[in-house]
């Protein structure tokens, strides 16, 4: 099976370098424009995070196509750090501790990387169980979702190696046990 992991287009929060996880932001005008002429691979199924930025991205990249929503493919909940920038948070000792732990702990009121990865992997396995072996599936999701999937299911297991740009991502082969990255989209 071929799986395309595509990150949503740019939002105002991305432009301002804010932690935008559970905040339901739309694409910004620049984000919409950047997606307009992008060519994406053909897919039989398009599955998206429930958040608006992913749904809007799928509408632009796969116009007129039916999309399926997978609630557990949403981005990390950054809790009290949500919608803030590094500059706004850098003097908060709780934020410094979270950075020092590389996401292993949860931000206050949010979720840890392990919690996000658990729900993301569960959602992914539920999706691929319903797909044919020869099917091409596009997941229009979040940067953190892509990183969690590849950290867990790609052989290198390196989270930060898989930072996709807005509107970009990875073409992967799924063999029933692991994802193998074949290139970028």
């Amino acid at each position: 099976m071929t799986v395309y992991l595509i990150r949503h287009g740019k939002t105002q929060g991305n432009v301002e370098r804010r932690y935008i996880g559970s905040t339901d932001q739309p694409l910004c005008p620049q984000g919409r424009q950047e997606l307009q002429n992008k060519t994406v691979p053909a897919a039989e199924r398009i599955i998206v995070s429930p958040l608006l930025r992913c749904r809007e991205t799928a509408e632009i990249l796969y116009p007129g196509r039916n999309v399926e929503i997978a609630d557990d493919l949403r981005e990390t909940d950054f809790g009290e750090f949500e919608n803030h920038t590094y500059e706004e948070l850098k003097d908060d000792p709780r934020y410094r501790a979270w950075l020092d732990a590389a996401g292993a702990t949860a931000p206050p009121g949010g979720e840890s990387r392990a919690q996000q990865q658990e729900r993301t992997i569960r959602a992914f396995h539920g999706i691929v169980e319903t797909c044919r072996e020869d099917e091409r599936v596009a997941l229009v999701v979040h940067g953190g979702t892509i990183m969690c999937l590849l950290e867990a299911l790609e052989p290198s297991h390196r989270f930060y190696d898989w930072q996709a740009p807005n509107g970009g991502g990875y073409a992967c082969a799924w063999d029933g046990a692991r994802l193998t990255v074949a290139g970028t989209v």
Side-chain angles (χ1 to χ4, degrees), residues 127-149:
I127 290 164
V128 297
E129 287 173 6
T130 66
C131 295
R132 296 183 326 271
E133 195 173 300
D134 65 340
E135 203 161 18
R136 296 169 295 179
V137 180
L139 302 182
V140 181
V141 293
H142 308 273
T145 305
I146 292 170
M147 293 164 72
C148 279
L149 283 169

Side-chain angles (χ1 to χ4, degrees), residues 15-43:
V15 171
E16 296 171 2
R17 302 183 57 82
R18 295 185 177 282
Y19 288 99
I20 303 296
S22 59
T23 301
D24 202 10
Q25 285 195 335
L27 298 175
C28 67
Q30 178 187 359
R32 288 181 165 285
Q33 183 179 26
E34 290 171 351
L35 294 173
Q36 289 299 327
N37 296 316
K38 183 167 179 59
T39 302
V40 291

Side-chain angles (χ1 to χ4, degrees), residues 6-11 25-27 31-32 35-36 38 40 46 48 51-63 67 139-141 166-168:
I6 303 170
R7 185 178 178 203
H8 62 78
K10 198 172 286 177
T11 67
Q25 285 195 335
L27 298 175
R32 288 181 165 285
L35 294 173
Q36 289 299 327
K38 183 167 179 59
V40 291
I46 297 101
V48 302
L51 297 179
L52 183 58
R53 56 196 180 266
C54 294
R55 296 191 330 262
E56 288 180 342
T57 297
E59 289 171 13
I60 294 168
L61 297 179
Y62 295 98
V67 299
L139 302 182
V140 181
V141 293
N166 289 107

Side-chain angles (χ1 to χ4, degrees), residues 3-167:
V3 178
Y4 303 111
L5 302 173
I6 303 170
R7 185 178 178 203
H8 62 78
K10 198 172 286 177
T11 67
Q12 191 59 38
N14 295 138
V15 171
E16 296 171 2
R17 302 183 57 82
R18 295 185 177 282
Y19 288 99
I20 303 296
S22 59
T23 301
D24 202 10
Q25 285 195 335
L27 298 175
C28 67
Q30 178 187 359
R32 288 181 165 285
Q33 183 179 26
E34 290 171 351
L35 294 173
Q36 289 299 327
N37 296 316
K38 183 167 179 59
T39 302
V40 291
E44 284 79 35
R45 291 178 70 186
I46 297 101
I47 301 170
V48 302
S49 157
L51 297 179
L52 183 58
R53 56 196 180 266
C54 294
R55 296 191 330 262
E56 288 180 342
T57 297
E59 289 171 13
I60 294 168
L61 297 179
Y62 295 98
R65 296 288 306 277
N66 181 46
V67 299
E68 302 168 50
I69 294 176
D71 287 336
D72 282 341
L73 292 180
R74 67 191 180 280
E75 182 60 284
T76 302
D77 181 348
F78 293 110
E80 292 180 28
F81 302 154
E82 185 76 25
N83 211 20
H84 291 284
T85 65
Y86 170 83
E87 287 300 317
E88 293 168 348
L89 294 168
K90 68 182 180 184
D91 296 325
D92 183 332
R94 300 170 308 159
Y95 177 68
R96 300 298 316 164
W98 179 67
L99 287 181
D100 291 345
T105 60
E111 69 182 331
S112 69
R113 190 164 85 214
Q115 290 170 312
Q116 182 196 9
Q117 190 170 75
E118 181 182 327
R119 74 170 157 75
T120 299
I121 298 307
R122 183 179 58 245
F124 180 79
H125 283 134
I127 290 164
V128 297
E129 287 173 6
T130 66
C131 295
R132 296 183 326 271
E133 195 173 300
D134 65 340
E135 203 161 18
R136 296 169 295 179
V137 180
L139 302 182
V140 181
V141 293
H142 308 273
T145 305
I146 292 170
M147 293 164 72
C148 279
L149 283 169
L150 290 173
E151 177 187 37
L153 300 173
E154 191 275 337
S156 73
H157 303 295
R158 289 192 258 185
F159 183 78
Y160 291 105
D161 285 356
W162 303 111
Q163 296 182 51
N166 289 107

